[in-house]
Amino acid sequence: MTAHLTQKENFLRVARGEMPEYVPVSTFFGMEAAPLYTMADPSILGSFRGPGGGKDPWGVTYVTGEEINFAALPKPNDFILTDITKWRDVIKAPDYTGFDWEAAARADRKKYVQDPDKTAFVLGGFADLFQQFIGFMGFTEGLCAIYEEQEEVEELFDYMLEHSLYITKNLLHYYKPEGYYLLDDTASKLNPFISPKLFEEILVPRYKKCLDLVRDEGIPIFYHNCGRCEDLMPSMVDIGVNVWDPAQVQNDLVGMKHKYGRKLAINGGFEYTMPSTWPVVDEEEVRQRVRDTYAQLAPDGGFIFNGMMTSLDFGNPTVQEVNGWILDEAKKLSTTVYN
């Protein structure tokens, strides 16, 4: 099939709920010359997620390292808030007085988008109320506070939301992004950390205030939530989420596709786990898994293939070979499945 749309144009069709010419293919393992989208942190947030870690704008210390695949995580047992009822004495909103938004927007776009015809400028990292709160207190104390002192937690969320709204308004005005990325992990591999009812009470109305600003600009909204979070998705679709990223295989993705169609694009849908025969891997089996995923999730659009072999050892030659098979098969199918 001869494609008439650029990679970015085709990708944004899916994000807007339109039918694409072909299935966009995205990966997390560095085998693409130009990614589909940036998922970039604006420079106002600092560089705490980069090598060496550092403090985020709220004062939480983050660490990185090879043992956590260079992800940035709050430093263990170094939490800045130990008593939710004392949050007003401890948590202070960042001060951005004098920040040059216009210069930052120019620099960030140049930094993150090497090929504007291929890569959509998608910004994120500023409405993560749950993750930021857990960064303040840790999971144990944070979850206990949510259930024992919900009113205090909600008042803290309102205080944090003012920061999110400030950042969002300026990003929309100065950066002119092509997508808005709400990253807030609220689930484990098995279940959400809080009930859907509580999620709808304490988070959804506050997310909505940010997302309303984005929807008013006609910008597609990407929602990142790892794990089995399908129970939380209906309320997020209701407030404007267009793309679920990464939609992981622990969820009933076929059921969600049947329910929402192109209204909620599935970005993900594939995962290959290490077989019992490792390091011996059947190439045809791997490729057939990719074909099966396309057969289930690609029909009638609303699908972005995004997947790989689950392993922390991305440098392992066998892992790289398997991921190469996955990407190769996904790209072959990408341009033929809608014929």
Side-chain angles (χ1 to χ4, degrees), residues 13-32:
R13 270 198 182 186
V14 179
R16 292 191 294 260
E18 302 166 4
M19 187 67 192
E21 282 189 351
Y22 51 93
V23 175
V25 176
S26 180
T27 68
F28 282 141
F29 43 88
M31 301 178 73
E32 296 166 295

Side-chain angles (χ1 to χ4, degrees), residues 56 58-62 73-75 78-81 91 128-139 142 160:
D56 75 0
W58 294 90
V60 176
T61 300
Y62 279 72
L73 298 175
K75 185 177 179 181
D78 188 28
F79 304 116
I80 64 175
L81 182 62
I91 305 301
D128 51 343
L129 298 177
F130 180 81
Q131 284 192 198
Q132 186 69 64
F133 172 69
I134 294 299
F136 292 160
M137 298 197 73
F139 267 102
M160 295 162 63

Side-chain angles (χ1 to χ4, degrees), residues 32-46:
E32 296 166 295
L36 288 176
Y37 57 103
T38 56
M39 201 177 76
D41 283 346
S43 58
I44 194 169
L45 297 181

Side-chain angles (χ1 to χ4, degrees), residues 146-163:
I146 288 173
Y147 282 95
E148 295 174 354
E149 297 284 355
Q150 182 176 335
E151 186 174 330
E152 290 283 356
V153 172
E154 290 199 64
E155 289 184 11
L156 173 54
F157 280 176
D158 285 335
Y159 181 73
M160 295 162 63
L161 179 63
E162 291 305 311
H163 170 263

Side-chain angles (χ1 to χ4, degrees), residues 95-107:
D95 182 3
Y96 297 122
T97 302
F99 184 78
D100 189 338
W101 282 97
E102 194 169 353
R106 288 196 303 269

